[in-house]
Amino acid sequence: MEPIPDIDPTETKEWLDALESVLTHEGTERAHYLLERLVEKARRSGAYLPYSATTAYINTIPTGKEDRSPGNHALEHRIRSYVRWNSMAMVLRANKNSNVGGHIASFASAATLYDVGYNHFWHARSTDHGGDLIFAQGHSSPGLYAYAFLLEELSEEQLDNFRQEVDGKGISSYPHPWLMPDFWQFPTVSMGLGPLMAIYQARFMKYLDSRGLVQTKGRKVWTFLGDGEMDEPESLGAISLASRENLDNLIFVVNCNLQRLDGPVRGNGKIIQELEAAFRGAGWNVIKVIWGSYWDSLLAKDTKGLLQQRMMECVDGEYQTFKSRDGGYVREHFFGKYPELLEMVANMSDDDIWRLNRGGHDPHKVYAAYAAAVRHTGQPTVILAKTIKGYGMGEAGEAQNITHQQKKMGTTSLKAFRDRFGLPIADDKIDDVPYLKFDKDSPEFVYMRQRRQALGGFIHRRQRKAEALPVPPLSAFETLLKASGEGRESSTTMAFVRILNILVKDKSIGKHVVPIVADESRTFGMEGMFRQLGIWSSTGQLYTPQDADQLMYYKEDKSGQILQEGINEAGAMSSWMAVASAYSTHGVQMIPFYIFYSMFGFQRVGDLAWAAGDMRCRGFLLGGTAGRTTLNGEGLQHEDGHSHLSASTIPNCVSYDPTFAYELAVIIQDGLRRMYDAQEDVYYYITVMNENYPHPEMPANAEQGILKGMYLFRTGNRAEGEYSGLRVQLLGSGTILREVIAAAGILEKEYGIAADIWSVTSFNELRREALDITRWNMLHPGEPAKLSYVGSCFKDREGPVVAATDYMKIFADQIREFVPGRYKVLGTDGFGRSDTREKLRRFFEVDRYYVTVAALQALAEEGKIPAEKVAQAISKFGIDPDKPNPVTV
């Protein structure tokens, strides 16, 4: 917007003088109140006054109102310098020895931001404090390792094996709890996930406190981000939730070094101003830390605001260039635009001008910002700290576009780094890039230990187990193990809701169960839980719900148990991850059940699902309305034929596709045992359907097979018929098992072919077990070979094997290698579409008639029946042999 001309400077001065008087005599709060009343009056009078979401390009906290750090600044500077060197040395040595990469520049810009937190703010878990949660910026990991090294939490050997983990001696490239389960808490290097997960972790803290499960007052969630990372949709996607829920236990620290991987974040603009507008508009408390202490005297002289004007004029691309040059360049191109500014710095040397520091590198400014953030109530806080990417790297990368990828530094740059930070390294040792340590009786080492002891101990200590939960026996689900009864039909979704009701009523673990939904409770028949359990709300229910007179009314409650996340799968998944990691972050085991449209689950939040594996989450994901033909009427974007394939890519995700209620009960009960009694670091993905049908009683001794992934549901009868001596093996999962059962009936009644029916609850688990057996056999030549579970099932069985599922053919095809003899697979490759279930199954060629034809074709290929019998069946069942392949249309 063009500036509005001042048509009456005298009147303007009177108003400004009046405001100055209020500021001087009554303070900023009174001044703010009066200004707000004036704006309100102007708007009520019809004036158009657009909201300004940004403030001046200066520090939010005035110099005179800054909290002063109580620390020993000289010792902290020396410690910080050692950390800087060691983090750089780790990357350089790793590349010199093994060429494994690494990043220097990110932590170089953020060192002060972390150092102040380590020394003064971050509480470890102790008897007096539940501990703060730290989401570290992924690319800054070398600096955090370097700090741990100085505290003797990591060894020199571990640092020398940075990014070299295969032999078990190294440390991971980025924060990975799976690879360093005693050190890292959260995986954050998939950029954008850290801020999203942090918001829901902070919210879950409030949930635990509201329900009286964990006392979380005084604990903070600290999240470190890069300004380039803020372009990820997930980074800003949930910030309105954080303010809406008044998450004053949440602090974002955005390292605004103005550079992303390839160049400036906003070369033609100002990323700090942009982020300030976004966060202020969303209701956050925003603290800008732009200028360091060396600017204070210049800003104090800036009575006309010309320096602030120049600060606002410059775009980030210019600021980057200034720091890549020298003081003379800054004098000419920054101050030189206005004679008054040149006069302001006339007594300063070029070196003095070069020392004008950015706020994110000034421990005094950072401390003041952190202190204000910790003290602030009622809102989450974001600190926007301006820094220099590659700070200290000099000509090797400081404020240069190439700095993010810089992994080498020459002798000249190393000497410059050494001299800049006053490090005790001789010239003849500089190229060895030695690690620096403090003696145990040195003031620095003692100080580091004292500061951490005052804050509860070392911050990077992850808890791996909590108190085991008493898991109910399978008999607790007895009603689901029996047949549903004559004329009674239900879906596996309804079976899940019944199981959930049993669990929430359990006296031992009921309060630990956390149902999570993304605005689909009614879809999955869970609305009965609204009144029973309540939907958690930090404010309770401030209104009378429209359906208050109904039994299942919409009940929000401060102590509610359900997490209702709205239309937000990524947020619901992040909530699930917070609950699923509570054993580690809060020392109490919680049992999350997140049910969602399966198509909008794994597909949409696959990156979070992978991170959940890395984070060693424990809990249940329920893919509702699963399968490509089960959800009739909704169409392509709703019908899932591949979520199990996504689940199979996550090593510690255990996935099942059950057909009957008893299968679901067995799977969930054993999952509870594995995760909450044995405390295995796995999580479950289980698909459930909305198709109603009768459920039989559980066959005797089926539990082991259900859990392994397959069991014999029914042995085929040798019926009278043309081919009564033949037998086939039919496999099915989910609702398509019922089509397989129907196909077995056709084969037996119309052809006299006996059909053994196998319920496959998990092709994924079958494959994993078989691959493990195959590997063992390969590595143990000469020893008796082991037989996979799949192989043992078919070892003494006659006939070809046919498998049909509601998923892509590759799902069932995973076990082909381990099936002896002929194996045919039917599946639902292609885009989904709307129609009835019957038509969809015919279209995707997975109904009972296609299963029958596939079995006949397999027998024909084995020469056991003539090929014309297959052709006759195709004609008899009304199958068009020339219809397009479903995958192509």
Side-chain angles (χ1 to χ4, degrees), residues 105-107 109-110 137 226-228 254-260 265 271 320 358 361 385-390 399:
S106 292
F107 180 75
S109 65
Q137 190 180 4
D227 48 358
V254 185
N255 175 20
C256 298
N257 58 35
L258 313 186
Q259 284 184 246
R260 52 190 177 204
V265 177
I271 187 60
Q320 180 184 345
R358 293 185 178 175
H361 297 301
K386 190 174 184 180
T387 64
I388 303 165
K389 194 155 189 175

Side-chain angles (χ1 to χ4, degrees), residues 149-424:
F149 171 69
L150 286 183
L151 279 171
E152 298 188 332
E153 301 289 342
L154 293 177
S155 67
E156 184 170 326
E157 181 184 27
Q158 285 175 296
L159 264 60
D160 265 343
N161 282 280
F162 173 58
R163 291 191 165 206
Q164 300 162 72
E165 302 165 278
V166 170
D167 61 4
K169 298 178 181 178
I171 50 181
S172 61
S173 51
Y174 303 118
H176 292 306
W178 185 259
L179 298 169
M180 296 181 68
D182 299 312
F183 191 94
W184 292 116
Q185 190 75 62
F186 307 106
T188 54
V189 81
S190 185
M191 287 185 279
L193 299 192
L196 183 65
M197 291 190 294
I199 288 171
Y200 284 90
Q201 283 283 355
R203 180 167 170 265
F204 182 56
M205 272 193 185
K206 299 275 188 179
Y207 170 93
L208 287 172
D209 200 82
S210 294
R211 293 192 57 212
L213 295 169
V214 178
Q215 214 289 339
T216 64
K217 287 181 174 60
R219 298 177 64 188
K220 301 289 184 181
V221 178
W222 293 78
T223 312
F224 287 80
L225 316 164
D227 48 358
E229 181 177 3
M230 301 310 290
D231 282 342
E232 292 283 5
E234 296 90 346
S235 296
L236 297 173
I239 61 173
S240 61
L241 176 141
S243 57
R244 184 170 69 247
E245 298 285 359
N246 302 316
L247 299 183
D248 49 12
N249 59 343
L250 176 65
I251 299 171
F252 275 17
V253 181
V254 185
N255 175 20
C256 298
N257 58 35
L258 313 186
Q259 284 184 246
R260 52 190 177 204
L261 276 64
D262 290 335
V265 177
R266 295 290 185 273
N268 297 312
K270 277 184 159 55
I271 187 60
I272 289 178
Q273 299 299 94
E274 180 182 323
L275 292 175
E276 178 188 25
F279 280 97
R280 285 190 72 209
W284 285 53
N285 174 43
V286 179
I287 300 175
K288 295 194 291 191
V289 187
I290 301 176
W291 308 111
S293 301
Y294 292 123
W295 286 91
D296 287 348
S297 59
L298 293 179
L299 286 165
K301 296 178 185 178
D302 186 35
T303 57
K304 297 181 179 179
L306 194 58
L307 177 57
Q308 290 189 39
Q309 177 184 324
R310 181 64 181 133
M311 289 171 166
M312 185 67 85
E313 287 173 352
C314 288
V315 295
D316 284 353
E318 292 178 286
Y319 281 118
Q320 180 184 345
T321 302
F322 294 150
K323 278 304 179 184
S324 68
R325 302 299 174 85
D326 56 24
Y329 183 91
V330 175
R331 183 191 300 274
E332 178 183 354
H333 292 89
F334 179 79
F335 294 102
K337 184 171 182 178
Y338 300 109
E340 295 94 329
L341 295 184
L342 274 177
E343 179 63 27
M344 188 183 289
V345 296
N347 294 328
M348 297 175 66
S349 68
D350 288 351
D351 287 343
D352 291 334
I353 290 175
W354 181 247
R355 276 193 292 271
L356 291 170
N357 55 341
R358 293 185 178 175
H361 297 301
D362 188 322
H364 308 290
K365 302 293 186 184
V366 173
Y367 181 91
Y370 283 10
V374 169
R375 190 168 54 242
H376 189 78
T377 59
Q379 293 172 290
T381 294
V382 60
I383 296 168
L384 304 173
K386 190 174 184 180
T387 64
I388 303 165
K389 194 155 189 175
Y391 182 77
M393 293 175 67
E395 64 181 20
E398 187 163 345
Q400 297 178 30
N401 283 337
I402 52 88
T403 190
H404 185 81
Q405 305 298 343
Q406 191 73 340
K407 298 166 179 62
K408 297 180 181 179
M409 290 177 66
T411 302
T412 301
S413 295
L414 289 172
K415 287 182 177 179
F417 190 106
R418 174 200 63 186
D419 296 341
R420 183 169 182 171
F421 295 106
L423 300 169

Side-chain angles (χ1 to χ4, degrees), residues 48 77 303 322 370 402 494 538 565 633 713 829 881:
Y48 172 66
H77 174 74
T303 57
F322 294 150
Y370 283 10
I402 52 88
M494 288 299 96
S538 59
E565 303 298 354
F713 176 72
D829 295 58

